[in-house]
Amino acid sequence: MRVMAQVTMVMNLDKCIGCHTCSVTCKQAWTNRQGTEYVWFNNVETLPGQGYPRRWEDQEKWKGGWERTRSGRLRLKAGGRLAKLGKVFANPDLPGIDDYYQPWTYEYKNLTEAPAGDDLPTARPVSQITGEPMDTIAWGPNWDDNLGGAPTHAPRDPIVEKIRDEVGEKIRFEFEQSFMFYLPRICEHCLNPACVSSCPSGAMYKREEDGIVLVDQDGCRGWRMCVTGCPYKKVYFNHRTGKAEKCTFCFPRIEIGMPTVCSETCVGRMRYLGVMLYDADKVAEAASVEDEHDLYPAQVDCFLDPDDPAVITAARAAGITDEWLDAARRSPVYDLIATYQVALPLHPEYRTMPMVWYVPPLSPVVEAVAATGSDGEDAGNLFGAIDAMRIPVEYLAAILTAGDTVPVEAVLRRMAAMRSHMRRINLGEPREESIAEAVGLTGREMEDLFRLLAVAKQEDRFVVPSAARAEADALAASHPTAPVDRDCPVAEHPSEPRVMLNLGPTRRSS
């Protein structure tokens, strides 16, 4: 057992309102500069829809992620070294700017500086890449928002195309029969990242101390193989610098114990951050299981119980500090993934072992039941409605469990049971333990799950240990009698050790 720790995120899709606050704050923090005009480290997609970039889930076209060979080994879907060598100067498996969108601004000076006259001035759209006027705006990073143009664009959703024959008339795009939900997306910071293995120069790496995947800007040579290798298309090419860039999981904030920008500014409070301990020796085996339906349980099996004495001993031997172990024990992410089992991975069939997980949406079920005049919070009504919900379970399963509907149904039943259980409590009715027992939980666990998903405070939703602070304390302790320069302006209080921290992306050998 080789214990490692990773900062992980869970998003509760039942609470996402599609406000895009997370996208805007991330944009302002990380990609508000030349060369990244089209880049959104965080974006929120309306499903069903084609997403950003368009049809990013079509791996037959983009060749992202891993595939299992007949011998049971994994290989990159884009090919090995020889295949990369043949495409090093012309890679056909890359999204073009039109697959993302042509970023634009407007000629606002035409409005503010136009002289008085009979003509009405207009502000034409101008490309932020070429600086040339644009005749039309044909696509954007959120073109499918709230099912905009759904009858035309949503049928080209790769998941809809994949399961259309299976679900038949369950998926319609007439307005009165449509369904939708929001899917916020960032880099998955995978346990088995295909982008890292795709990089010929070794510039992409996964940090040992917290699992964050970063790009060494000095080492990047702009081959863009990482863009192809990432099945989630969350690696971008900066056309100004000639370097690859991606979501950094706000590592400078994480290192001092703060949540990511997207998490802290989330209006719906639907993001959770915490530490997951996992057995690194099991990752390759879990990613290589033959049946895609076994990928989700195989990844869960890699996670370790932070309360297990054997795990604690092995973690300490691996150099994991008590601060991180304490964070793992208090981790809301571990509770949602392993204890209550209501969070699921995004496209586990890509075999990258993603570490941003999702609680599937239940709200449309409640609304659909209530619209019929029935009690939308009654457990019996909800259990019966899950199979006939407007969002087909098959669609959610194709996104979250490689097409296996059983785990998705189990999660939705637990969420429905939680609503029914808490409703009885709020109305002053006697507790009915059979509701919780029907989904494999106790009444107390139902109440704890409700507190975590509905009313948890920030300190309960974000449990992030401070890697930098721990290193600073250790450094200060190792030099307790270091001489102090009295003439130095930072030595105003010599009894308080001052440590300069380097918060840049550092590489540690694994």
Side-chain angles (χ1 to χ4, degrees):
M1 179 170 59
R2 184 159 61 99
V3 182
M4 298 188 73
Q6 172 149 352
V7 180
T8 307
M9 182 181 291
V10 169
M11 302 191 206
N12 182 6
L13 300 184
D14 211 33
K15 296 175 69 177
C16 182
I17 61 175
C19 66
H20 304 278
T21 303
C22 52
S23 300
V24 173
T25 52
C26 176
K27 183 72 173 173
Q28 291 297 320
W30 292 104
T31 59
N32 188 19
R33 50 199 160 80
Q34 286 189 334
T36 60
E37 296 90 349
Y38 77 101
V39 174
W40 296 81
F41 287 169
N42 182 111
N43 70 293
V44 182
E45 299 172 1
T46 297
L47 294 182
Q50 297 187 49
Y52 161 83
R54 260 189 278 196
R55 295 176 57 81
W56 62 270
E57 293 163 299
D58 185 1
Q59 302 312 326
E60 295 305 315
K61 178 178 182 180
W62 302 124
K63 311 297 183 186
W66 302 88
E67 60 184 3
R68 188 178 186 273
T69 65
R70 292 182 179 179
S71 62
R73 298 173 62 88
L74 290 182
R75 68 181 177 195
L76 291 169
K77 201 172 182 67
R81 294 181 179 178
L82 290 178
K84 287 185 173 58
L85 183 62
K87 296 182 290 189
V88 69
F89 295 113
N91 185 357
D93 303 322
L94 285 174
I97 193 64
D98 290 335
D99 294 305
Y100 293 100
Y101 74 107
Q102 183 84 230
W104 72 88
T105 184
Y106 294 95
E107 293 180 325
Y108 292 111
K109 286 187 177 181
N110 287 356
L111 301 180
T112 60
E113 300 179 2
D118 296 332
D119 297 328
L120 182 66
T122 61
R124 295 185 304 172
V126 176
S127 171
Q128 288 186 303
I129 295 179
T130 66
E132 299 296 326
M134 298 172 60
D135 294 332
T136 59
I137 298 174
W139 197 259
N142 194 38
W143 207 256
D144 300 321
D145 190 31
N146 293 326
L147 296 182
T152 302
H153 301 299
R156 296 209 64 220
D157 179 336
I159 302 302
V160 172
E161 292 181 345
K162 182 179 180 180
I163 68 172
R164 186 185 299 278
D165 293 338
E166 180 181 351
V167 302
E169 289 299 309
K170 283 188 178 181
I171 296 183
R172 300 180 181 180
F173 293 103
E174 291 84 358
F175 179 78
E176 67 276 5
Q177 297 182 17
S178 63
F179 67 90
M180 75 173 193
F181 63 97
Y182 301 108
L183 179 71
R185 293 203 305 118
I186 64 172
C187 168
E188 295 286 330
H189 297 277
C190 307
L191 295 183
N192 185 34
C195 59
V196 173
S197 297
S198 298
C199 179
S201 59
M204 296 199 69
Y205 62 101
K206 185 175 179 66
R207 299 208 306 187
E208 180 183 3
E209 60 265 38
D210 52 23
I212 297 176
V213 177
L214 295 173
V215 183
D216 180 353
Q217 293 291 293
D218 292 332
C220 179
R221 296 295 177 263
W223 298 118
R224 288 175 282 185
M225 298 298 177
C226 52
V227 180
T228 299
C230 175
Y232 304 97
K233 291 297 171 277
K234 280 299 177 182
V235 183
Y236 305 90
F237 182 70
N238 185 320
H239 56 85
R240 291 282 183 175
T241 64
K243 308 286 187 179
E245 297 189 18
K246 60 178 295 298
C247 161
T248 66
F249 216 72
C250 293
F251 71 88
R253 295 171 60 91
I254 293 293
E255 287 180 349
I256 57 174
M258 295 177 65
T260 63
V261 169
C262 60
S263 298
E264 190 162 39
T265 59
C266 175
V267 174
R269 301 195 302 176
M270 45 78 72
R271 299 189 186 223
Y272 299 80
L273 287 171
V275 173
M276 293 293 288
L277 302 179
Y278 66 95
D279 186 351
D281 291 334
K282 289 185 175 181
V283 171
E285 180 182 355
S288 306
V289 296
E290 182 175 3
D291 190 344
E292 290 184 345
H293 289 180
D294 293 332
L295 286 166
Y296 159 59
Q299 184 170 355
V300 173
D301 189 54
C302 291
F303 299 139
L304 300 173
D305 184 355
D307 291 314
D308 187 337
V311 171
I312 295 174
T313 300
R316 286 173 175 162
I320 298 175
T321 65
D322 287 340
E323 181 185 14
W324 278 69
L325 290 175
D326 178 65
R329 284 189 288 269
R330 297 184 294 111
S331 173
V333 171
Y334 180 82
D335 287 339
L336 294 172
I337 293 175
T339 304
Y340 306 120
Q341 298 181 6
V342 294
L344 301 169
L346 182 64
H347 288 297
E349 69 272 20
Y350 299 158
R351 298 181 183 270
T352 60
M353 310 282 278
M355 291 300 281
V356 175
W357 288 40
Y358 295 86
V359 178
L362 179 69
S363 295
V365 184
V366 179
E367 295 169 2
V369 173
T372 65
S374 302
D375 188 347
E377 300 287 350
D378 179 78
N381 292 339
L382 282 177
F383 287 171
I386 286 174
D387 293 333
M389 64 187 288
R390 292 178 72 181
I391 302 178
V393 174
E394 294 87 350
Y395 186 87
L396 293 175
I399 295 172
L400 299 173
T401 54
D404 187 4
T405 60
V406 174
V408 177
E409 291 175 348
V411 171
L412 293 176
R413 289 178 182 274
R414 288 193 172 190
M415 299 286 286
M418 179 191 70
R419 291 197 181 206
S420 298
H421 179 84
M422 294 307 303
R423 176 209 164 169
R424 296 183 66 89
I425 293 177
N426 292 333
L427 294 179
E429 299 177 359
R431 283 175 167 78
E432 183 59 62
E433 285 291 329
S434 61
I435 296 177
E437 293 171 356
V439 293
L441 297 177
T442 65
R444 176 62 181 272
E445 288 175 326
M446 281 289 181
E447 294 161 28
D448 291 342
L449 178 59
F450 170 78
R451 279 192 289 270
L452 181 58
L453 290 178
V455 297
K457 296 182 179 179
Q458 179 164 316
E459 58 267 25
D460 299 318
R461 290 185 289 118
F462 307 140
V463 181
V464 183
S466 171
R469 187 180 303 139
E471 292 178 358
D473 291 343
L475 183 60
S478 65
H479 299 283
T481 59
V484 177
D485 184 356
R486 299 290 176 176
D487 296 327
C488 180
V490 299
E492 298 174 2
H493 304 284
S495 61
E496 299 179 6
R498 300 295 183 98
V499 180
M500 295 298 292
L501 300 179
N502 177 16
L503 297 183
T506 57
R507 185 196 301 267
R508 295 187 179 182
S509 58
S510 49

